[in-house]
Amino acid sequence: MRLSRSLIPTLKENPAEAQIASHRLMLRAGLIRQQAAGIYAWLPAGQRVLRNIAQIVREEQDRAGAQEMLMPTIQSAELWRESRRYDAYGPEMLRIADRHDRELLYGPTNEEMITAIMRENVQSYRDLPQILYHIQWKFRDEMRPRFGVLRGREFLMKDGYSFDFNYEGAVTSYRRMMLAYMRTFRRLGVRAIPMRADTGPIGGDLSHEFHILASTGESAVFYDAAFEAIDLRGEQVSYDDSAELDAFFAHMTTLYAATDEKHDTEAWKAVPELRRREGRGIEVGQIFYFGSKYTKAMGFSVVGPDGARIHPEMGSYGIGVSRLAGAIIEANHDSAGIIWPAAVAPFRVAIVNLRQGDAETDALCELAYAKIGDSALYDDRHERAGMKFADADLMGHPWQLIVGPRGAARGRLELKERCSNERLELALEDALTKVMA
Ligand code: 5CA
């Protein structure tokens, strides 16, 4: 993209309404603009981040055997009366009436809808297990939307749902999703710890929240320091080997880690004092096992192996895709701006032209831009070098290719790595090899 022709409106000043770093930086780097309380437009660079996050989430879900689908944002109130959650959900639910006065709502989650779809289309235990997911906008009329996309009212979520015909199967689905989540967060460049958690309005009796540690997090968390050292990610574990999966799950859940709602002061005393850590976390995902809560309430049963009907066992699995954009920045920034992990960066590299209009400088920049293509943001504005440097740091591209007249005359440029601040003078070909590695 050529910056001179892009809608990437960077801001020099800190916006007054933003209280925390990620909100400030998302506004200043031109990623988002607020349209109403807790409702944001994602500008072109922001949309690239969201798309990159969603794509990693999608690849890891697919790899775990989950099937992608797409359910609507608007749901009927009738569906939610079946599970008795229509009244129970309270003022967080955005209720809408259509022109015929039919009651609709903007979906805050999709347990009811997916259960109704399965009820109409699955009759036998032989059709199970299945895990289905979609990546879709949700609406929750939060009392206090704040911190930008971290607590919005409209937000993008990956929500998945598993259906098994017995308890053992449901537990395996839950463990598979935990593994998929650890792999997803690792690829996104963040460390997330699974914590025992309350189930809230989703219900059920087993749940884990995944937290990124950050001092600005909304939840108080208690965890064993061993989590900071061990390899959480299970790269070697196979989804189809139940012994490996069980060992992975045991590894993830024997060390103490809990949010304040589930904090257990006895169990906490059993953790050696030097390893007790209290901090704050940003919840980027949550998984639930709730058995036949919805399948019973909504009358979904299948014919079991012995001919008797059984209510399938369910779990649900959420990842806050739009929240992750903010959470990743919370965990990766400095005083100059964002430091994007390469996998989610809107652009892999900025090409910084220090003397727009100088023939040799322009030519070298154009050549670099042609070679890198869409993953480069070419700063071809007629602006001072100081401003271009500041904007590149603010936007947080992993690499900057800095091209000025003196170097260009010798076919050389400077390559700067954002995270280490390391600079090297190189020929274009060598710089490209490093950037593309
Ligand atoms: N149905 C289940 C799982 S599919 C569910 O809705 N779970 S949840 O309520 O825990 O939401 C899943 C994830 O969405 C959360 O972990 C969080 O990362 C994200 N999320 C929830 N509320 C918001 C919000 N107001 N703004 C941004 N992200 C949110």
Side-chain angles (χ1 to χ4, degrees), residues 196-231:
R196 270 191 288 160
D198 251 359
T199 53
I202 308 289
D205 42 34
L206 174 61
S207 181
H208 285 88
E209 284 176 5
F210 296 78
H211 282 263
I212 293 177
L213 300 173
S215 56
T216 48
E218 283 192 301
S219 328
V221 295
F222 302 82
Y223 62 98
D224 189 321
F227 265 116
E228 292 163 356
I230 61 169
D231 175 22

Side-chain angles (χ1 to χ4, degrees), residues 248-270:
F248 167 79
F249 185 77
H251 187 48
M252 285 300 100
T253 54
T254 34
L255 289 176
Y256 191 90
T259 59
D260 52 356
E261 295 126 352
K262 273 281 178 194
H263 188 44
D264 173 349
T265 22
E266 305 308 51
W268 185 231
K269 287 210 181 92

Side-chain angles (χ1 to χ4, degrees), residues 23-311:
H23 189 195
R24 261 194 316 268
L25 291 170
M26 289 184 82
L27 291 167
R28 285 193 54 207
L31 302 176
I32 54 166
R33 288 294 181 264
Q34 183 175 301
Q35 303 308 307
I39 300 178
Y40 291 87
W42 294 73
L43 303 188
Q47 165 63 3
R48 283 174 164 250
V49 173
L50 209 51
R51 202 173 57 190
N52 290 343
I53 296 171
Q55 185 56 23
I56 289 174
V57 169
R58 174 178 289 122
E59 284 171 16
E60 292 302 326
Q61 289 292 299
D62 292 350
R63 198 175 154 202
Q67 311 161 69
E68 185 170 12
M69 62 186 295
L70 185 59
M71 290 180 269
T73 55
I74 305 294
Q75 308 187 24
S76 81
E78 235 7 83
L79 199 55
W80 285 65
R81 290 212 168 90
E82 287 191 44
S83 68
R84 285 170 210 92
R85 274 211 296 183
Y86 188 64
D87 295 319
Y89 216 93
E92 272 201 10
M93 179 182 276
L94 179 63
R95 295 152 208 259
I96 311 167
D98 70 10
R99 62 165 76 198
H100 306 293
D101 269 338
R102 276 191 285 257
E103 293 171 281
L104 301 172
L105 58 99
Y106 194 126
T109 175
N110 285 63
E111 280 82 3
E112 282 79 358
M113 189 178 281
I114 191 71
T115 304
I117 291 171
M118 291 296 280
R119 182 177 62 190
E120 280 163 34
N121 296 287
V122 171
Q123 273 82 39
S124 162
Y125 80 97
R126 287 199 193 84
D127 299 327
L128 301 179
Q130 295 212 36
I131 305 181
L132 298 134
Y133 76 97
H134 71 163
I135 299 175
Q136 178 62 293
W137 293 92
K138 304 290 186 291
F139 194 95
R140 293 181 187 174
D141 201 351
E142 301 272 352
M143 180 77 115
R144 278 186 1 124
R146 59 199 169 130
F147 304 148
V149 301
L150 288 185
R151 182 164 296 282
R153 291 197 297 167
E154 189 186 43
F155 57 95
L156 189 60
M157 193 201 287
K158 185 288 294 183
D159 40 324
Y161 304 90
S162 65
F163 292 84
D164 284 87
F165 73 91
N166 62 18
Y167 175 76
E168 288 68 37
V171 165
T172 301
S173 293
Y174 188 92
R175 294 179 178 183
R176 283 190 167 171
M177 280 296 127
M178 182 176 275
L179 177 57
Y181 275 37
M182 297 315 290
R183 289 181 170 162
T184 302
F185 296 127
R186 177 203 168 101
R187 282 186 61 191
L188 290 170
V190 290
R191 173 184 284 264
I193 300 180
M195 313 234 168
R196 270 191 288 160
D198 251 359
T199 53
I202 308 289
D205 42 34
L206 174 61
S207 181
H208 285 88
E209 284 176 5
F210 296 78
H211 282 263
I212 293 177
L213 300 173
S215 56
T216 48
E218 283 192 301
S219 328
V221 295
F222 302 82
Y223 62 98
D224 189 321
F227 265 116
E228 292 163 356
I230 61 169
D231 175 22
L232 297 174
R233 286 74 180 246
E235 246 343 289
Q236 312 307 320
V237 180
S238 155
Y239 283 111
D240 298 317
D241 184 321
S242 60
E244 276 181 28
L245 207 54
D246 292 354
F248 167 79
F249 185 77
H251 187 48
M252 285 300 100
T253 54
T254 34
L255 289 176
Y256 191 90
T259 59
D260 52 356
E261 295 126 352
K262 273 281 178 194
H263 188 44
D264 173 349
T265 22
E266 305 308 51
W268 185 231
K269 287 210 181 92
V271 179
E273 203 168 340
L274 284 171
R275 291 197 346 225
R276 285 181 217 157
R277 295 280 185 280
E278 297 186 28
R280 306 201 69 83
I282 302 174
E283 179 208 315
V284 290
Q286 185 165 7
I287 59 178
F288 305 82
Y289 161 74
F290 42 71
S292 54
K293 174 178 168 182
Y294 294 90
T295 53
K296 263 199 189 120
M298 295 180 64
F300 169 37
S301 63
V302 296
V303 177
D306 58 0
R309 297 196 76 89
I310 42 176
H311 295 290

Side-chain angles (χ1 to χ4, degrees), residues 340-358:
W340 284 117
V344 296
F347 301 95
R348 196 176 180 83
V349 51
I351 300 165
V352 183
N353 185 327
L354 297 181
R355 183 80 55 80
Q356 202 69 39
D358 173 75

